[in-house]
Amino acid sequence: MTDLLYWLQGPVPETAPPKVEMPPWGETKVVGKPLPRVDAYERVSGSAVYPLDFALPDMLHAAILRCPRAHAVVKSVDTSAAEKMPGVRAVITGKTPGADIPWFRGRGKWFSKLFDERARYEGDEVAAVAAETRAQAYDALKAIKVEYEELAFVLDPREALESDAPLIHEGTNRYGDPADYARGDVAAGFAAADAVVEGTYSTACEIHSPMEVHGSVVKWDGNRLTVWDTTQGVFEVQEAVAQSLKLPLANVRVIGHYMGGGFGSKLEAGKYTVIAALLAKTTARPVKLFLSREEEFLASGNRPANTMTVKVGAKKDGTLTAIEFSSIGSGGAYPNGASTSFLATDLYTCPNVKARDENVAINAGRARAMRAPGFPQGAWALEQAMDALAIKLGMDPVALRLANVPKASQRRGNQPYTSTGLAECLRDGAKAFGWSEARKRPKGDGPVRKGVGVASALWGYGGGPPATVVVKLYADGSVNVNTGAADIGTGTKTVMAQVVAEELGVPVEKIQIEHADTGTTQYSGPSGGSKTVPSDMPAARAAAIEVRNKLLAGAAEDLKLPFEELRLEGPDVVSAKDPSKKVAVTAVKALERHQVLVGVGTRGPNVEGKVISMFATHFAEVEVNTRTGEVTVTRLLAAQDSARVMNRLTFECQVQGGLVMGLGLGRTEERVLDRQTGKMCNANWHDYKIPTALDVPAEQKVLSVDLVDTECNTAGAKGVGEPATIPTAAAIANAVHDAVGVRVHDSPITPPRLVALLSGRGKKG
Amino acid sequence: MTDLLYWLQGPVPETAPPKVEMPPWGETKVVGKPLPRVDAYERVSGSAVYPLDFALPDMLHAAILRCPRAHAVVKSVDTSAAEKMPGVRAVITGKTPGADIPWFRGRGKWFSKLFDERARYEGDEVAAVAAETRAQAYDALKAIKVEYEELAFVLDPREALESDAPLIHEGTNRYGDPADYARGDVAAGFAAADAVVEGTYSTACEIHSPMEVHGSVVKWDGNRLTVWDTTQGVFEVQEAVAQSLKLPLANVRVIGHYMGGGFGSKLEAGKYTVIAALLAKTTARPVKLFLSREEEFLASGNRPANTMTVKVGAKKDGTLTAIEFSSIGSGGAYPNGASTSFLATDLYTCPNVKARDENVAINAGRARAMRAPGFPQGAWALEQAMDALAIKLGMDPVALRLANVPKASQRRGNQPYTSTGLAECLRDGAKAFGWSEARKRPKGDGPVRKGVGVASALWGYGGGPPATVVVKLYADGSVNVNTGAADIGTGTKTVMAQVVAEELGVPVEKIQIEHADTGTTQYSGPSGGSKTVPSDMPAARAAAIEVRNKLLAGAAEDLKLPFEELRLEGPDVVSAKDPSKKVAVTAVKALERHQVLVGVGTRGPNVEGKVISMFATHFAEVEVNTRTGEVTVTRLLAAQDSARVMNRLTFECQVQGGLVMGLGLGRTEERVLDRQTGKMCNANWHDYKIPTALDVPAEQKVLSVDLVDTECNTAGAKGVGEPATIPTAAAIANAVHDAVGVRVHDSPITPPRLVALLSGRGKKG
C-alpha cells in the first residue's frame, strides 16, 4: 500500500520553470546524424501493422462497384441477385436510405454524391457490397445489374473547351476562370531581348501507385466511428468523414499509424471510408474496404497531364528580359488541380512575366496532389526552354541559370527569401558532377551517344501548418513523443526522436513515438508539401525544451541552486557549474512527484516579411541508342538546398526517391486513355511502367549544399520532399538533347517517341 | 489543393490568452446533474472491448501452472510431455533461460522470482504454457510433472508468531515491526472514564471477485511491448513490467480502456503480464493470458482477515476519554497490508489514544488493496465498541457519536479538515432513516425480531496524486479529453466530460474521452482510494479553462474587443457585453488557424496545512430469525459527506455498490482455508457467497449531505468510493444486536454463527 498512500498525500508545490527559448542550434550531437529509422525493425520484420494488414474480430470485407464507362447516367441498379449471393451481408446504392448523401472532401466543399446518379469517369462509384470474405464481396459485385444511359465523353482538355464538347458539369467544362499572373511589360521585355526561344511542351498523366492501396477499416461504437486509414493526414480524413456523415469531429477517430506510400494521393480522404462506415452501420459489424490495384489506377488520383507553351527572352549576357507561360491541364471529372506556372514566375529574376493556368474538366479520374503538384510539369517546360535559350545564346546552361539567381520572391511582393541556395546548388552540383568535363566530352560516333543535362527548381511553399507536440519524460528517464503527424515513409518519427534526443540528451532507443491519431494526439497538418519537418520539428523541440526546463527547475530546487547554473549532462545527470553538485535525472524530486514531466510545444509562426523556399539543381547523364530510341540514364546528381539536414541518411533516401519519381515522369510513366471508349488501357503494373531497380542509374548522388539559414524557423530546416523530384525529368530531357540534338517536348521519353523524332517524323526543338 | 496551400502559408501570430484561474463554481449547469454515463451504450451493447474480449491475429493463449500445496519446494519440473501436446508452442519454468527473473511490483521492490523455487501458498506460479487454444494450454498444464518437497505451513497470523511456527521467509514471519501510534495518556484516560467497554472482533478474509478476471494480452514490436491489461492504473502496470523485463518505461505501452471491476485488486500489476510477455517473446506471437475463476480466488489478492481488540472509555455525557486498539492481520504469503487502526485514532475527538497494527506472513494468497483497505475491518471493531459503549452509558448511539465529532485530524498534528460532514451525516441520516422512531419500535415477540443500527466512518486520504489532462477543441466545436485515468466503473469518464462541458458549454454528446494509455495519455495515478475525482477533475477543469481562454483571446482579436468583455454563450457563440457583437465559436480565426485549440491542465497541490477527509454514516434495519439465525437486511441508508457531488446518478450508484460490498463483509463473504491441507475450500462462486440481487435490501437510500467545501481543491469535491463501504457491516452488526441483544464479534454474520450465539454457545458482547 505504500505507493497508494504516497500518492494520497498529494504532491507538494514547486517553482515554475522559465519560459521556453529556442536559440539556434550550435554544434549538434544527434540532429543531422545519419541515424537509421526508429521504426526500421517493425517495417522490415513485418510486425508493423499497416491498415491493409489490420483486422478486427467479426470484420466484414467490402468492395465497390464502379462505372465501367467514361460518362453515363445510372438509370437503375438491381441488387436483388447480389443480396442472395453467399456471404453477402449488405448491398448499398445511391437509393439506399441514408446513403443518398453528399461526399465532402474539405470543409463545406462537395461536388458529387457518394453514389452519384451521373457517373463522370470510368471508376465512379455506383454501389457497394459487404460480405464475409473479400472474394465473396467481389463476386457479388458481378451480380449487380446496372442500366446505364451512355453519354458522350471528352478526354482532352483542349477539346473539352470546344463549343460542342459534352458538358461534364453544369454550364461549363472550366473549373473556374483561368488563373492569370503578370508583372512588368512582357512585350517590351521580348523586344529588348537578344535571343528568344518559344516552344510547346506536354507532360503525361501519372498515377501515384503507392505500394499500399487506398482503404480503411472502420468500426462503430454507438455514434462514434473509429477509422484505421492509410493516410497522410488523419485530421483531414476526420474532417471529410465527419462532414459527410454529419458527425461532430470528436465522434470520428482516425488512426493512421503506418502507411505504405501516398505521394499526395493520401492527403485527402476517400469515398471508400464513408462507404465502409455506412456498410458497418447497416451490418453492425466492423468493415474493411481496400481498393484493388485496378481501382487504384482508375480512382485514387493522379498528376494530371499538362500542355504548356513557354517563351523566354534574354540579353547576350544571359540576363532574362521576359517570360511568357501558359498551361492547360485537367483536374479530371471533378475539380482539383495545381498551378504549373509557379516556376516560370519565380525561379529566376525577371522583370517582365506573364502566365496563365487553365483547369478543365474531362471524363477521367480526378487529380490529386502528387509530390510537388504542378511543379515538375512546369519544370519540364521552363527548364527545357532555358536549355534551348542557353544553346541559342551560346552559353553554358549552368552559367545562364547562375546569371539569374533570385534573392527575393518576385511572385510575393519581392519579399526576401530566408535563404537562397540556388547558386550553391548550381556551382557545387556542377563541380561534384564533373559538369564542365562532361560537356566537353565527345558524344560518341557509334549508334550510342552520350550527353549531360541540367535543370533547376524551387519549391515555393516553405514553413507549414500549425502543429502541437507533447513530450513526456518518464520517471526512469525514458521519453514518449506524441505528434499528430503521419510518417509517410520519410522518417518523420525518426527526426522527431532526434530533436527530442538532442534537447534531452536521451538516446533515441529510449524514445517512443505515438503519432497520427485524431483521438490521442494533438493537431498536425497532413504530411505533404515538404512541410512535416518545418512544421512539427519546432513544436517537438519546444516541447522537449519545456520538459528540460521543468527538470532543471526541479533539480534547482533539490540542489538549492539557481536554475541558470544547471545543465543536463548526458542522459542521466543534472549537474551544476560546481562539478561536485549533481543529481541523477531519475532522482529529481519533481519527476518522482509527477511521475512524468510533460511539455507541450506548438509551432511558432513563419518569420514575418520573408519567404521560405527550398532550391535544387539536378544533373543527368544519358546514353541514347539512336537505333532503338532507348535512353539509359547512367548518372544522376541532385544538389539540394534544404538548409539544415535533420538526418543525413533519411535525407539522402528521400532525395533518391525523388530522383526515381522524376525518372518515371521523364522516361516511363503515362496513363493511356482509349479515345474510342474513354477507358484506361493500362490500369495495371504490367502496362503502366514505374521505374524498377533496373531503371535506376548505376550512380545516383545526393548533395546537400548545407546552407545555414538562421531566418527560417528556429532550427533552420526548410524541408526536402518536393524539390527532390521537380527538375529531374527536365534534366534528363536536356541530356538527351545534348546527346542527340533532339528535344523531346512530350513526356515520357519512350523509344517509339524518340525514334520518331530522330527519324524526323516528330517535332524538334 | 486549396487546403494544402492554405496551410503552407503558415499561421499568423496571435495574442496570448491570460493565465488559467479556477474560481469556485457558483451555480453549475452540468456538474452535479444526474447524467447517464457517456460510455453507457458501449457497456450495455457489448461493443465495448474489455481486455478479456480483446483478440489479435495469430494470438496464442496461455495458462499458468500453480502450486497445489500451501508450502513446498519445487524440486523439479518436467515439461517434456507437455511440450509434445497438441497446439503447444512454448512451456516456461523458473529454469527457462530468461525466465529466472525477479518479479517487481513497485519501484525497486521485489519479493519473489517470477517462478520461485519455493511455493509459499496454494496458487504460487510454477510454470506456464502458450498454445493455440485456451483449452490446449490448460490440457498441457496437466502434462507437466512437478516434484514437490512439502513443507509445514501456517494459516493463522497468531500461530505464525509462535516460536515453533514454520518460517515463510527468512528469519521471521513478521512483515516489519508492529506499527505503533500513541497520543496522550491512555491509562489516565481510562481512569477518568465513567464507562469502559472492551472486546475482541474479527473480520473474515474477502476476495475481490471482479466480473472480469485478471489478465493481459501482450504483443512485442522489436524491443517494445504493448500490453492490453484490465487494470486500475496503466502507469502502475507499466512500471512493474518494465522493471521485471529491464525495459525503459517508454518501451512498455499499457492500454486499459475498459475494465470489468477491480476494487483495488487491479491497482497493481500481476505476474501474468510478464509471463505472457516472456511467452510472446519466445513464440514471436501475441499472447493472451487470463486467470480462471479459481485462480482469481487463489492468487489475485484479498482483503486480509484481521483480529482486533478495542477498548473505549467515556464520560457520562459521552465525551471519549481513551481508546486503545490493537490488530493482527496478514499480508499473506508475500508482504502487503494496510492499517486497521486509522479510524480508532482519528474518527472521534479523543485526547488519549494508543494503537498497534501487526502484519504477519501466512501460507495463503497475498493481500491486495481492497476498497478502503483496512478501514472496514477497523470500523467493524470500533463501531461495534461504540455501540456497546452507548448501551453501557444509556445514550443513543447517534448522540454518542455527535458528542465526539472532530474538526481536525488528531492523527496528523491537529491540522484542521477542509470540511467535516460527520455531524451532518449523523443528523441528516438519522432524520431520513427515521432513526428515533425505529429505535423506539418494539423488536417483535415472535421468532423474527427487528432492529436498527448505526455506524460511522471517515476515509483519511483525500486529495490525490499528480494528474495531467489535455483538452482539445476541434474546429467544429466538438471536444476531445485526454486523461491517463482508468474508469474503473465509477463514471470517471462521465465526470471528466461534465467538467469540460461546464467550462466550454459543449453538450457532453460532443465530448469524447481518450484515456488510460501510457503511450498516448498523460500521467494519472491509479484509480483507487477515492482519488480520481479530486485528482483528475481539477486537471481537466484547468485544461478546459485554458482552451476557453485561448478561444476568447482569439475572439477578442477578431472582434477587436478586450478579452475581459467576452464570454462563451451556450456551446456555439462568443459574445460581448454589447449584444450586437458576437462571433460563432467555429468562426474564431485562431481556431481555424490551429484546427484544434489545446489546453493542458495539471492538478494543483493539496491545500497546505489542512487535511481532506470524507465522512459517512450508515444506518441499517434488519430482521433476525431467531430460530434459523437468518438475518435479512430490510433497509440501508447511507449519509455521505463527499462535499460537492459531481454527478448525482453515478454518485448514488457508487454508494449503492459500497453498501452491497459492506453487506458482503457483514453477512456472507469469507475465504475458508482447510487447516488440514492449507488449501482454500471455497474457491468458486458457489461456495464463496457474494451478495446477489436477492440479498440487497428492498430499500437502499443514498443521501449526500451536500456540504460546501471551499477549502478542498478548487471545485470542492472530496471523493466517494471508499467511505461508501466502510461502516456498512458494523451498522448491520449493531442492528442485529438491537434486534436480538447478541453481539456478533466475528464476520460474517452467518446463520450457524448467529444460532450458536443465540443458544449461548458463542461469545456475547
Side-chain angles (χ1 to χ4, degrees):
Chain A
M1 285 305 299
T2 328
D3 287 342
L4 186 61
L5 291 191
Y6 171 78
W7 288 137
L8 290 169
Q9 314 306 321
V12 299
E14 62 200 48
T15 48
K19 202 168 157 289
V20 168
E21 304 281 350
M22 297 212 289
W25 272 314
E27 201 180 324
T28 55
K29 289 178 183 166
V30 191
V31 163
K33 298 295 176 289
L35 292 191
R37 287 161 203 242
V38 294
D39 56 2
Y41 174 87
E42 293 110 277
R43 292 191 186 263
V44 300
S45 67
S47 69
V49 179
Y50 288 72
L52 186 54
D53 305 324
F54 191 71
L56 287 170
D58 291 326
M59 185 177 79
L60 294 172
H61 297 263
I64 295 171
L65 181 69
R66 297 177 180 279
C67 177
R69 317 215 191 282
H71 204 182
V73 172
V74 178
K75 300 285 281 179
S76 69
V77 185
D78 178 358
T79 63
S80 53
E83 282 160 19
K84 290 177 199 130
M85 296 279 286
V88 171
R89 298 287 169 260
V91 185
I92 60 174
T93 73
K95 303 284 183 204
T96 306
D100 182 25
I101 56 173
W103 156 241
F104 283 89
R105 60 161 286 268
R107 195 162 319 134
K109 276 177 281 180
W110 70 279
F111 37 68
S112 79
K113 290 187 182 172
L114 201 57
F115 302 103
D116 211 277
E117 298 85 358
R118 180 141 157 221
R120 295 180 175 87
Y121 72 100
E122 182 202 10
D124 234 346
E125 289 80 358
V126 176
V129 171
E132 296 292 340
T133 70
R134 188 166 154 86
Q136 286 172 332
Y138 275 93
D139 280 351
L141 292 186
K142 292 180 195 147
I144 299 174
K145 294 181 198 78
V146 187
E147 189 188 349
Y148 294 104
E149 175 191 333
E150 283 197 66
L151 302 174
F153 60 84
V154 60
L155 304 176
D156 184 296
R158 289 160 299 189
E159 291 171 15
L161 290 179
E162 288 169 10
S163 59
D164 59 349
L167 283 181
I168 299 168
H169 298 276
E170 291 300 301
T172 172
N173 279 338
R174 280 192 189 278
Y175 289 137
D177 293 331
D180 287 324
Y181 172 87
R183 67 171 178 262
D185 180 338
V186 176
F190 284 121
D194 295 319
V196 173
V197 295
E198 186 171 4
T200 296
Y201 298 85
S202 78
T203 52
C205 173
E206 288 188 295
I207 307 294
H208 300 77
S209 299
M211 287 281 281
E212 184 187 35
V213 292
H214 289 62
S216 310
V217 177
V218 305
K219 176 177 185 287
W220 288 93
D221 291 299
N223 67 341
R224 290 193 302 135
L225 180 68
T226 305
V227 177
W228 289 263
D229 201 54
T230 172
T231 178
Q232 297 174 242
V234 289
F235 289 90
E236 297 296 305
V237 175
Q238 179 196 37
E239 185 172 322
V241 171
Q243 281 190 99
S244 289
L245 293 172
K246 291 197 171 65
L247 290 172
L249 287 172
N251 288 28
V252 179
R253 177 177 176 189
V254 181
I255 302 169
H257 283 173
Y258 290 94
M259 57 93 68
F263 312 112
S265 69
K266 293 176 183 167
L267 276 174
E268 58 182 76
K271 280 186 179 180
Y272 44 83
T273 308
V274 176
I275 292 171
L278 294 178
L279 289 166
K281 195 91 179 176
T282 303
T283 56
R285 301 266 294 269
V287 167
K288 183 172 190 170
L289 203 179
F290 275 79
L291 306 194
S292 66
R293 182 56 63 186
E294 185 185 6
E295 290 175 277
E296 188 74 18
F297 273 99
L298 294 173
S300 74
N302 56 72
R303 183 195 294 284
N306 278 89
T307 304
M308 298 157 283
T309 301
V310 58
K311 184 176 174 187
V312 190
K315 294 278 193 191
K316 276 180 192 154
D317 64 357
T319 310
L320 294 176
T321 58
I323 301 175
E324 195 170 348
F325 184 95
S326 71
S327 167
I328 183 164
S330 172
Y334 297 102
N336 205 13
S339 159
T340 57
S341 69
F342 200 108
L343 288 181
T345 60
D346 221 25
L347 179 57
Y348 300 115
T349 302
C350 181
N352 309 301
V353 177
K354 196 173 162 186
R356 159 168 285 200
D357 269 299
E358 290 185 275
N359 189 352
V360 174
I362 59 171
N363 291 110
R366 177 172 155 274
R368 288 190 180 185
M370 185 165 174
R371 204 169 185 173
F375 280 62
Q377 298 101 303
W380 176 259
L382 177 71
E383 290 296 278
Q384 288 207 64
M386 287 292 283
D387 198 63
L389 183 64
I391 292 166
K392 198 157 183 179
L393 287 166
M395 274 184 89
D396 181 284
V398 170
L400 172 62
R401 289 170 172 88
L402 276 170
N404 296 284
V405 168
K407 289 289 167 200
S409 173
Q410 301 154 90
R411 201 182 157 102
R412 280 172 289 195
N414 276 310
Q415 291 187 67
Y417 290 117
T418 57
S419 60
T420 318
L422 181 54
E424 289 81 354
C425 288
L426 285 158
R427 277 195 211 106
D428 297 359
K431 193 174 165 195
F433 187 75
W435 171 255
S436 304
E437 302 75 12
R439 289 287 285 186
K440 288 177 207 141
R441 208 171 43 195
K443 310 299 173 200
D445 44 18
V448 175
R449 306 289 171 91
K450 279 200 164 195
V452 291
V454 65
S456 286
L458 65 74
W459 172 242
Y461 307 104
T468 302
V469 171
V470 177
V471 169
K472 281 189 289 185
L473 177 68
Y474 288 109
D476 71 344
S478 61
V479 174
N480 178 288
V481 180
N482 175 300
T483 167
D487 187 336
I488 58 173
T490 53
T492 302
K493 286 192 271 179
T494 306
V495 169
M496 296 290 118
Q498 286 180 277
V499 168
V500 173
E502 187 73 40
E503 296 299 346
L504 292 177
V506 177
V508 291
E509 293 74 29
K510 288 177 98 174
I511 299 174
Q512 287 305 324
I513 315 280
E514 297 299 334
H515 73 125
D517 180 335
T518 63
T520 61
T521 65
Q522 315 319 312
Y523 185 82
S524 175
S527 292
S530 303
K531 74 88 208 166
T532 318
V533 156
S535 181
D536 297 84
M537 183 267 286
R541 191 179 174 216
I545 293 175
E546 189 176 311
V547 167
R548 191 180 62 199
N549 284 358
K550 286 183 177 178
L551 184 72
L552 294 182
E557 206 172 77
D558 296 355
L559 295 171
K560 301 191 187 355
L561 287 172
F563 175 88
E564 297 71 27
E565 287 190 16
L566 297 174
R567 63 178 206 286
L568 256 178
E569 190 180 275
D572 303 325
V573 177
V574 178
S575 59
K577 282 179 191 163
D578 170 357
S580 73
K581 295 190 172 169
K582 51 178 66 183
V583 55
V585 163
T586 53
V588 171
K589 291 198 184 68
L591 182 53
E592 166 139 39
R593 278 198 296 273
H594 290 279
Q595 286 297 295
V596 296
L597 292 179
V598 178
V600 180
T602 52
R603 178 182 185 268
N606 281 346
V607 54
E608 268 186 277
K610 301 206 174 188
V611 171
I612 303 170
S613 283
M614 296 132 265
F615 296 86
T617 301
H618 290 184
F619 295 85
E621 182 188 78
V622 299
E623 288 178 0
V624 182
N625 186 319
T626 53
R627 288 188 181 151
T628 63
E630 275 182 293
V631 174
T632 305
V633 181
T634 49
R635 284 202 294 145
L636 284 175
L637 182 141
Q640 304 286 139
D641 162 31
S642 295
R644 180 185 294 282
V645 170
M646 299 298 296
N647 178 321
R648 192 68 54 175
L649 184 59
T650 58
F651 177 88
E652 284 195 13
C653 290
Q654 207 174 340
V655 178
Q656 297 275 8
L659 290 171
V660 175
M661 284 189 79
L663 191 68
L665 174 65
R667 285 272 295 106
T668 62
E669 296 189 51
E670 180 173 20
R671 175 180 76 184
V672 180
L673 299 177
D674 179 1
R675 290 184 61 89
Q676 303 301 315
T677 63
K679 291 167 73 76
M680 185 171 173
C681 303
N682 57 344
N684 60 68
W685 271 346
H686 182 78
D687 298 312
Y688 180 96
K689 305 285 189 193
I690 56 171
T692 66
L694 291 178
D695 297 302
V696 175
E699 186 184 311
Q700 201 166 274
K701 272 193 192 160
V702 176
L703 194 72
S704 160
V705 299
D706 282 346
L707 215 73
V708 176
D709 187 333
T710 53
E711 301 287 332
C712 127
N713 298 73
T714 318
K718 297 198 293 190
V720 63
E722 325 300 303
T725 201
I726 300 170
T728 325
I732 293 169
N734 290 340
V736 169
H737 185 275
D738 184 50
V740 295
V742 161
R743 187 158 300 284
V744 187
H745 287 247
D746 307 317
S747 88
I749 310 170
T750 56
R753 187 167 282 149
L754 193 52
V755 163
L757 287 168
L758 287 167
S759 65
R761 283 180 285 115
K763 55 183 170 182
K764 286 192 188 181
Chain B
M1 284 306 299
T2 327
D3 288 341
L4 185 61
L5 290 191
Y6 170 79
W7 288 138
L8 291 170
Q9 314 306 321
V12 299
E14 64 200 46
T15 49
K19 203 169 154 288
V20 168
E21 304 282 351
M22 297 212 289
W25 271 314
E27 203 180 324
T28 55
K29 289 179 183 168
V30 192
V31 163
K33 298 294 176 289
L35 292 191
R37 287 161 203 243
V38 295
D39 56 1
Y41 174 88
E42 292 111 275
R43 290 191 187 263
V44 301
S45 68
S47 69
V49 179
Y50 288 73
L52 185 54
D53 306 324
F54 191 72
L56 288 170
D58 291 326
M59 185 177 78
L60 294 173
H61 297 263
I64 295 172
L65 181 69
R66 294 177 182 278
C67 178
R69 318 216 189 281
H71 204 180
V73 172
V74 178
K75 301 282 284 182
S76 68
V77 186
D78 178 359
T79 62
S80 52
E83 281 161 19
K84 289 177 200 131
M85 297 278 287
V88 171
R89 296 288 170 259
V91 185
I92 58 173
T93 73
K95 303 284 184 204
T96 307
D100 182 24
I101 56 173
W103 156 242
F104 283 89
R105 61 160 285 268
R107 197 163 316 134
K109 276 179 283 180
W110 68 280
F111 37 67
S112 79
K113 290 187 182 172
L114 202 57
F115 302 103
D116 211 278
E117 297 85 358
R118 181 141 157 219
R120 295 181 174 87
Y121 72 99
E122 182 203 8
D124 234 347
E125 289 80 359
V126 175
V129 170
E132 295 292 340
T133 71
R134 187 166 154 87
Q136 287 172 331
Y138 275 93
D139 281 351
L141 291 188
K142 292 180 196 148
I144 299 176
K145 294 183 198 79
V146 187
E147 189 188 347
Y148 292 105
E149 176 192 331
E150 282 198 66
L151 302 175
F153 60 84
V154 60
L155 304 176
D156 183 295
R158 287 161 300 187
E159 291 171 16
L161 290 180
E162 288 169 10
S163 61
D164 59 347
L167 282 180
I168 299 169
H169 296 278
E170 291 299 302
T172 172
N173 279 339
R174 281 192 187 280
Y175 289 137
D177 293 330
D180 288 325
Y181 171 85
R183 66 171 177 264
D185 180 339
V186 177
F190 284 121
D194 295 319
V196 173
V197 295
E198 186 170 5
T200 297
Y201 298 85
S202 77
T203 51
C205 174
E206 289 187 295
I207 306 294
H208 300 77
S209 298
M211 288 281 281
E212 184 187 35
V213 292
H214 290 62
S216 310
V217 177
V218 304
K219 176 176 185 288
W220 288 93
D221 291 299
N223 66 341
R224 289 194 303 136
L225 179 69
T226 305
V227 176
W228 290 262
D229 201 53
T230 173
T231 178
Q232 297 174 241
V234 289
F235 288 90
E236 297 296 305
V237 175
Q238 180 195 38
E239 185 173 322
V241 172
Q243 282 191 97
S244 289
L245 292 173
K246 289 198 172 65
L247 290 171
L249 287 171
N251 287 29
V252 179
R253 178 178 175 188
V254 180
I255 302 170
H257 283 172
Y258 291 95
M259 55 95 66
F263 312 112
S265 69
K266 293 175 183 168
L267 277 173
E268 58 182 75
K271 281 186 179 179
Y272 44 83
T273 310
V274 176
I275 292 171
L278 293 179
L279 289 166
K281 196 89 179 177
T282 302
T283 57
R285 302 266 292 271
V287 167
K288 184 172 191 170
L289 202 178
F290 275 78
L291 306 195
S292 66
R293 182 55 63 185
E294 185 186 6
E295 292 175 277
E296 188 73 17
F297 272 99
L298 296 173
S300 75
N302 56 74
R303 183 195 295 285
N306 279 90
T307 303
M308 297 157 283
T309 301
V310 59
K311 185 177 173 187
V312 190
K315 293 279 191 189
K316 276 179 192 156
D317 65 355
T319 311
L320 294 177
T321 58
I323 300 173
E324 195 169 349
F325 183 95
S326 71
S327 166
I328 183 164
S330 171
Y334 297 103
N336 205 12
S339 161
T340 58
S341 68
F342 200 108
L343 289 181
T345 59
D346 221 25
L347 179 56
Y348 298 116
T349 303
C350 182
N352 308 301
V353 176
K354 196 173 162 187
R356 161 169 285 199
D357 270 300
E358 290 184 273
N359 190 352
V360 174
I362 59 171
N363 290 110
R366 177 172 155 275
R368 287 189 181 186
M370 184 164 174
R371 205 168 183 174
F375 280 60
Q377 297 104 299
W380 175 259
L382 177 72
E383 289 297 278
Q384 288 207 63
M386 287 293 283
D387 198 63
L389 183 64
I391 293 167
K392 198 159 185 178
L393 287 166
M395 275 184 88
D396 182 283
V398 170
L400 172 62
R401 287 170 173 87
L402 277 170
N404 296 285
V405 168
K407 290 288 168 200
S409 173
Q410 302 154 88
R411 201 182 156 101
R412 279 171 291 194
N414 278 309
Q415 289 188 69
Y417 290 117
T418 56
S419 60
T420 319
L422 181 54
E424 290 80 356
C425 288
L426 285 158
R427 280 197 209 104
D428 298 0
K431 193 173 166 194
F433 188 74
W435 170 256
S436 305
E437 301 75 12
R439 289 286 286 185
K440 287 176 206 142
R441 207 170 45 194
K443 310 299 172 201
D445 43 18
V448 174
R449 307 288 171 91
K450 278 202 164 193
V452 292
V454 64
S456 285
L458 65 72
W459 172 242
Y461 307 104
T468 302
V469 171
V470 177
V471 170
K472 280 189 290 186
L473 177 69
Y474 288 109
D476 70 344
S478 60
V479 174
N480 178 287
V481 179
N482 175 300
T483 166
D487 187 336
I488 58 174
T490 54
T492 303
K493 285 192 272 180
T494 307
V495 169
M496 296 288 118
Q498 286 180 277
V499 168
V500 173
E502 187 73 40
E503 297 299 347
L504 292 178
V506 176
V508 289
E509 294 73 30
K510 288 176 97 174
I511 299 175
Q512 287 305 324
I513 315 279
E514 296 300 334
H515 73 126
D517 181 334
T518 63
T520 62
T521 66
Q522 314 320 313
Y523 185 82
S524 175
S527 292
S530 302
K531 74 89 209 167
T532 318
V533 157
S535 180
D536 297 84
M537 183 267 286
R541 190 176 176 220
I545 293 175
E546 187 175 311
V547 167
R548 190 180 64 200
N549 283 358
K550 285 184 178 177
L551 185 71
L552 294 182
E557 205 173 76
D558 295 357
L559 295 171
K560 298 190 191 354
L561 286 171
F563 174 88
E564 297 71 27
E565 287 190 17
L566 298 174
R567 63 177 206 287
L568 256 178
E569 191 180 275
D572 302 325
V573 177
V574 178
S575 60
K577 283 178 190 165
D578 171 357
S580 73
K581 294 189 173 169
K582 50 178 67 182
V583 56
V585 164
T586 52
V588 171
K589 292 198 184 71
L591 182 53
E592 167 140 38
R593 278 198 297 272
H594 290 278
Q595 287 296 295
V596 296
L597 292 179
V598 178
V600 180
T602 52
R603 177 181 185 269
N606 281 347
V607 54
E608 267 185 278
K610 301 206 173 188
V611 171
I612 303 170
S613 282
M614 295 132 265
F615 296 85
T617 301
H618 289 185
F619 296 84
E621 181 188 78
V622 299
E623 289 178 359
V624 181
N625 185 319
T626 54
R627 288 189 183 152
T628 63
E630 273 181 295
V631 174
T632 306
V633 181
T634 50
R635 286 203 292 146
L636 283 176
L637 182 141
Q640 305 284 140
D641 162 32
S642 295
R644 181 185 293 281
V645 171
M646 299 299 296
N647 179 321
R648 193 68 55 174
L649 184 59
T650 58
F651 177 87
E652 284 195 13
C653 291
Q654 208 175 340
V655 178
Q656 297 275 9
L659 290 171
V660 176
M661 284 189 79
L663 192 68
L665 175 65
R667 286 270 296 106
T668 61
E669 296 189 50
E670 179 175 20
R671 176 181 74 184
V672 180
L673 298 177
D674 179 1
R675 289 183 62 88
Q676 302 302 315
T677 62
K679 290 165 74 78
M680 186 171 172
C681 303
N682 58 343
N684 60 70
W685 270 345
H686 182 77
D687 298 311
Y688 181 97
K689 304 286 189 192
I690 56 171
T692 67
L694 292 177
D695 298 302
V696 175
E699 187 184 310
Q700 201 167 275
K701 273 193 191 160
V702 176
L703 194 73
S704 160
V705 299
D706 281 347
L707 214 75
V708 176
D709 187 332
T710 53
E711 301 287 333
C712 127
N713 297 75
T714 319
K718 298 199 290 190
V720 64
E722 324 300 304
T725 203
I726 299 170
T728 324
I732 293 169
N734 291 339
V736 169
H737 185 275
D738 184 49
V740 294
V742 159
R743 188 159 298 285
V744 188
H745 287 246
D746 306 317
S747 87
I749 309 171
T750 56
R753 186 167 283 152
L754 192 51
V755 164
L757 287 168
L758 288 167
S759 64
R761 283 181 285 116
K763 56 183 169 181
K764 285 191 188 182

